[in-house]
Amino acid sequence: MFVIRAKQALTMPKDCDQLRTYEADGALQRRDDRLVGLIEDAAVVIDDETIDWIGPWEDRPRSLRSRDVQVLTSDVVMPGWIDCHTHAVFAGERSDEFMWRNAGKEYVEILEAGGGILNTVDAVRQASTESLEQTLIGRCLESIRQGVTTLEVKSGYGLTTSDELKSLKAVAGVQPEVPCELVPCFLGAHAVPRNFRGRRQDYVDLVCQEMIPEVAKQGLADYCDVFCDRGAFDAEEARRILEVGREHGMIARVHADEITDAKAAMMAAEIGAASADHLEHTGDDAIEAMADAGVVAVLMPAVNLFLGTLDDLAPARKLLDAGCEVALATDFNPGSAMTQDLGTILMLGCTLYGLTPGEALRSITAGAAAALRRDDIGGLRAGTRADVACFAVPHYRYLPYHFGTSHAEAVIYRGDFAYWTDEVALEE
Ligand code: NIG
Ligand code: FE
């Protein structure tokens, strides 16, 4: 057992419905403090793998005062960050496409011409499981260093049964090697592979009849995702795939309306998906439907920055005002968001979407946990998993403000140190 004494602890309370409406002026900061569940001068008591107690330092349980309990002192502590949407298991890189896009070619043109995602598919098919694992380990450590304790990872660069399984097996193989949780998600319907061009239905059949049953049988993914957009799969194909996934126990998520209004977010609401991600072209009717159905909106502003599509921002404020839970994520992938920098995503959430610092920080903890339909992470409460990120910053609002560098001084995963700097030490 040990205690963290923090100048500020952010608990990320679950029910913040009454706080959704944006208030102006002086009230903004007070509202933000409530939104993050701020405790000034806090004690966070960690017992084994869980949070045992959290509250003001002066109210800490008696037993902690009398015994020689070890104390870690930090500035701002909050639930470990959750990057709830990544494509981190990939091989190769696509800097050539980056150059072409900046010279005027569009992302979807490259995809429809048989490049883009399909170029990474070639690289993943050639890669061994071991090399996929080695690269993924490095990427996990990079995320952990920033404060991440849970990383969702999608397949989707294999597009044959064996190559999709290879990617998911690499994720499973890496799990025991890294101090963060990897959440595998099956994305066999990421693109139509070249040998199925003009035979999309056959590929959808393969996903439904072979890939999903095999992934489920081997227990390699609890989530199923589909890229539902122009150049990929339409809403009816996506619905069918996600329903088959659900029959096999997988929770539905959707890459929705990133390039066009493909009616994907509406379909996500109709089937009660856990999340609809991207949403750059989602219409108002779908926003209402998502809020009613409790579909979490996962927004990834690095994509707009990286593709140069800053005129196509997702309607973040509308989603919040409608009552949707919002999550922010990196979308880390070699084509549309080559970054693992969740700290910069926080900043972009504020500058591009107009989120407050509290809303942005909620979105990579409580919001991201909701996108994964998880209760045990994303908040600091008695009983939640002891995943805690400790930052050396003057106050929590500083985190999205000073971007491009990691402020983490200690990262605790399941009650154990996953990362720490020389500045921190446990003292009696
Ligand atoms: O989320 N949009 C589809 N999938 C990824 C991009 C993948 C790639 O280009 O390799 C995304 O943006
Ligand atoms: Fe994605």
Side-chain angles (χ1 to χ4, degrees), residues 85 87 154 255 278 300 331 333:
H85 180 139
H87 305 253
K154 300 176 196 295
H255 275 72
H278 284 290
M300 294 166 292
D331 196 16
N333 76 77

Side-chain angles (χ1 to χ4, degrees), residues 85 87 94 97 107 116-117 120 157 187 190 227 255 258-259 278 300 303 307 331 333-337:
H85 180 139
H87 305 253
R94 293 182 1 229
E97 287 173 23
Y107 177 86
I117 293 171
T120 303
Y157 293 121
L187 177 58
H190 194 191
F227 184 13
H255 275 72
E258 175 184 358
I259 296 159
H278 284 290
M300 294 166 292
V303 174
L307 298 183
D331 196 16
N333 76 77
S336 70

Side-chain angles (χ1 to χ4, degrees), residues 121 125 155-169 185-196 200-226 233 240-241 244-246 248 250:
V121 168
R125 287 181 183 172
S155 68
Y157 293 121
L159 310 188
T160 63
T161 304
S162 63
D163 290 304
E164 285 296 304
L165 291 172
K166 179 172 77 176
S167 298
L168 292 170
K169 280 181 185 160
C185 173
F186 169 67
L187 177 58
H190 194 191
V192 181
R194 291 193 193 100
N195 56 326
F196 280 87
R200 279 151 56 118
Q201 275 319 309
D202 292 348
Y203 186 67
V204 174
D205 287 345
L206 179 72
V207 170
C208 292
Q209 290 163 13
E210 194 174 290
M211 291 188 193
I212 291 175
E214 200 50 41
V215 169
K217 192 168 117 203
Q218 299 195 30
L220 290 169
D222 295 332
Y223 302 81
C224 184
D225 195 342
V226 177
F233 299 88
R240 179 174 159 221
I241 293 164
V244 172
R246 183 171 285 166
H248 287 80
M250 296 179 189

Side-chain angles (χ1 to χ4, degrees), residues 106-117:
E106 284 189 20
Y107 177 86
V108 72
E109 273 181 75
I110 298 171
L111 176 63
E112 286 176 338
I117 293 171

Side-chain angles (χ1 to χ4, degrees), residues 165-334:
L165 291 172
K166 179 172 77 176
S167 298
L168 292 170
K169 280 181 185 160
V171 178
V174 165
Q175 181 61 92
E177 308 299 326
V178 292
C180 71
E181 181 183 350
L182 300 179
V183 177
C185 173
F186 169 67
L187 177 58
H190 194 191
V192 181
R194 291 193 193 100
N195 56 326
F196 280 87
R197 273 192 113 176
R199 297 193 293 129
R200 279 151 56 118
Q201 275 319 309
D202 292 348
Y203 186 67
V204 174
D205 287 345
L206 179 72
V207 170
C208 292
Q209 290 163 13
E210 194 174 290
M211 291 188 193
I212 291 175
E214 200 50 41
V215 169
K217 192 168 117 203
Q218 299 195 30
L220 290 169
D222 295 332
Y223 302 81
C224 184
D225 195 342
V226 177
F227 184 13
C228 182
D229 221 315
R230 183 183 141 193
F233 299 88
D234 69 28
E236 284 325 300
E237 291 160 345
R239 184 193 303 264
R240 179 174 159 221
I241 293 164
L242 295 172
E243 277 170 356
V244 172
R246 183 171 285 166
E247 284 160 20
H248 287 80
M250 296 179 189
I251 296 172
R253 305 188 59 188
V254 191
H255 275 72
D257 309 328
E258 175 184 358
I259 296 159
T260 52
D261 184 0
K263 307 293 170 210
M266 184 56 96
M267 183 275 300
E270 285 165 5
I271 65 163
S275 74
D277 307 34
H278 284 290
L279 308 175
E280 283 86 342
H281 295 89
T282 297
D284 291 351
D285 51 341
I287 292 175
E288 291 300 327
M290 280 177 60
D292 289 346
V295 179
V296 176
V298 180
L299 310 183
M300 294 166 292
V303 174
N304 302 87
L305 198 65
F306 195 77
L307 298 183
T309 53
L310 289 167
D311 291 337
D312 293 335
L313 295 177
R317 183 57 56 195
K318 270 191 189 173
L319 286 155
L320 281 166
D321 285 346
C324 281
E325 186 83 55
V326 167
L328 291 178
T330 58
D331 196 16
F332 174 42
N333 76 77

